[in-house]
Amino acid sequence: MASHRRPKQPSRTRVTVLTATAAAAVALSSQAAQAAPKPSKEDVKAKVDKLYEEAEQATEKYNGAKAKQDKLKEQVDDLQDKVARGQEDLNKLRDGLGSMATAQYRSGGIDPSVQLLLSSDPDEYLDKASTLDQLSGKQAVALKQIGDKQRTLKQQRAEATTKLQDLAETRKSLGEKKKDIQGKLAKAQALLNTLTAQERQALAEKEERANRSNDRVDLGDDVPESQRAAAALAAAKTKIGSPYVWGATGPSSFDCSGLTSWAYAQAGVQLPRTSQEQANAGTHLGQGQLKPGDLVLFYGDLHHIGLYAGNGQVLHAPKPGANVRYESINNMPFMYGVRV
């Protein structure tokens, strides 16, 4: 017969110990929460600025991939156009050869010696025979042209296939770099969202003051070394106040290399797309050699660029959330200048 015993109840001592342990755990977690204070506004700003810098590094990589994609697309289009025209030419050559072969067959159906014996006008026959010899010569030329055209088309098709593969890989890389930029900007925004409304307002006002400082900047008396440098700087000045947008090349928004390439384009000079490529677009200069309109490169990997404006001031598109503006050259780690 089965036994039906009531489960043994925990002792009062055991309950007391469990309760005390739970209370201690709650207290420890509360203390841990208190031990991790909320980051200050300055800490958040420093982290956000670092993320913006990393986003700009990613932006220049994106710009390089975008420029490569555009170039590959142009090359692929050109090759495909050449292949289409070449195929059309090949078809015409084949049609021409076919016409010659047909004509030769019709006039050469009887053995030439028999044709000569039967001909009522030997002179006329000899004239026709000469024409047939010329026709055979043309056939040989046509066959060579067809062979050359076929080899060219094969080469162009192979080149187009390779370029298309490169284009597909570049587009994939472009998507990854875009995702990287968006991820860093999202992290920066999430950090800003941890601040109070008052703290965010204070940061926004500080940024706005930096944007408005253009009205009071002293650019000194230095003059550009060339007309193109003067024209580029003058063009860039008309864009003061335009927003920074990653990947943008104007005319209403810019990233750093987008501004410099746009400005020099207005002076009739085509610069490469990225800051790293623009770094080799002219003669390298030390800080003491800079003149207005020269390019200025910052950071060890050269991921930021601007235009020297004079008196230690740089005109540039600084970062997300900021406008095109003047800023001290000493606010960033200067590498070297470039005179285009």
Side-chain angles (χ1 to χ4, degrees):
M1 187 173 178
S3 173
H4 298 283
R5 294 181 180 177
R6 295 178 62 190
K8 187 178 179 181
Q9 298 296 320
S11 67
R12 179 171 297 185
T13 302
R14 188 181 177 199
V15 170
T16 303
V17 171
L18 290 171
T19 304
T21 303
V26 170
L28 285 172
S29 72
S30 176
Q31 289 174 5
Q34 292 175 359
K38 178 184 175 184
S40 68
K41 181 180 70 174
E42 288 71 23
D43 289 339
V44 169
K45 184 179 184 305
K47 290 178 181 177
V48 167
D49 287 345
K50 180 63 176 173
L51 282 166
Y52 282 161
E53 182 187 335
E54 290 173 0
E56 189 172 40
Q57 287 176 304
T59 294
E60 287 306 293
K61 291 176 182 178
Y62 171 90
N63 290 339
K66 181 70 166 60
K68 182 181 178 181
Q69 175 190 259
D70 293 344
K71 184 176 181 180
L72 282 170
K73 180 69 168 60
E74 185 177 334
Q75 290 173 342
V76 166
D77 290 345
D78 183 55
L79 280 168
Q80 289 177 333
D81 186 50
K82 284 180 179 177
V83 167
R85 290 199 309 270
Q87 186 63 56
E88 187 177 330
D89 291 343
L90 180 59
N91 292 340
K92 289 179 180 177
L93 286 171
R94 283 172 172 163
D95 290 344
L97 181 62
S99 298
M100 282 189 280
T102 300
Q104 191 175 43
Y105 174 78
R106 285 174 177 169
S107 59
I110 302 174
D111 182 85
S113 59
V114 176
Q115 287 185 359
L116 180 59
L117 289 171
L118 298 177
S119 175
S120 59
D121 188 345
D123 290 336
E124 181 183 356
Y125 169 77
L126 291 172
D127 287 342
K128 288 180 180 179
S130 175
T131 301
L132 287 173
D133 287 340
Q134 293 174 12
L135 194 60
S136 298
K138 287 180 181 179
Q139 279 182 311
V141 171
L143 284 169
K144 184 178 184 305
Q145 288 177 330
I146 287 172
D148 292 342
K149 182 62 69 175
Q150 285 175 323
R151 284 188 291 274
T152 300
L153 278 173
K154 183 178 179 181
Q155 181 181 349
Q156 288 174 338
R157 286 193 177 106
E159 189 176 352
T161 299
T162 301
K163 295 288 185 186
L164 281 168
Q165 291 172 345
D166 290 345
L167 184 58
E169 291 172 4
T170 302
R171 282 174 172 160
K172 181 181 177 183
S173 172
L174 202 60
E176 291 170 351
K177 288 173 172 57
K178 181 177 180 179
K179 187 176 180 181
D180 187 24
I181 296 166
Q182 291 173 330
K184 292 182 186 302
L185 294 180
K187 286 181 181 178
Q189 188 58 55
L191 277 170
L192 289 172
N193 290 342
T194 65
L195 299 176
T196 65
Q198 186 176 1
E199 287 173 329
R200 288 198 300 272
Q201 181 64 27
L203 287 178
E205 288 174 355
K206 182 178 180 181
E207 198 64 51
E208 185 57 32
R209 285 195 297 274
N211 288 334
R212 289 198 306 266
S213 65
N214 295 282
D215 301 332
R216 303 183 301 275
V217 67
D218 178 10
L219 300 179
D221 301 321
D222 280 350
V223 295
E225 279 288 300
S226 66
Q227 286 294 325
R228 58 180 175 272
L233 181 58
K237 286 179 179 179
T238 68
K239 297 303 175 180
I240 290 174
S242 298
Y244 176 102
V245 175
W246 68 269
T249 57
S252 57
S253 59
F254 304 87
D255 61 22
C256 68
S257 56
L259 176 65
T260 50
S261 59
W262 179 88
Y264 264 93
Q266 310 317 299
V269 179
Q270 297 300 316
L271 292 181
R273 177 61 182 93
T274 68
S275 57
Q276 289 91 346
E277 291 174 314
Q278 292 179 21
N280 295 312
T283 305
H284 289 190
L285 309 166
Q287 188 167 338
Q289 299 172 289
L290 292 173
K291 294 291 184 180
D294 289 336
L295 300 174
V296 278
L297 280 301
F298 299 93
Y299 300 98
D301 64 352
L302 309 177
H303 71 259
H304 190 73
I305 192 168
L307 291 160
Y308 187 68
N311 198 30
Q313 295 293 313
V314 175
L315 181 57
H316 67 151
K319 59 184 180 181
N323 297 338
V324 174
R325 68 192 186 201
Y326 294 112
E327 199 166 337
S328 170
I329 196 172
N330 299 317
N331 286 0
M332 296 164 287
F334 171 82
M335 294 293 109
Y336 55 84
V338 174
R339 183 159 298 151
V340 179

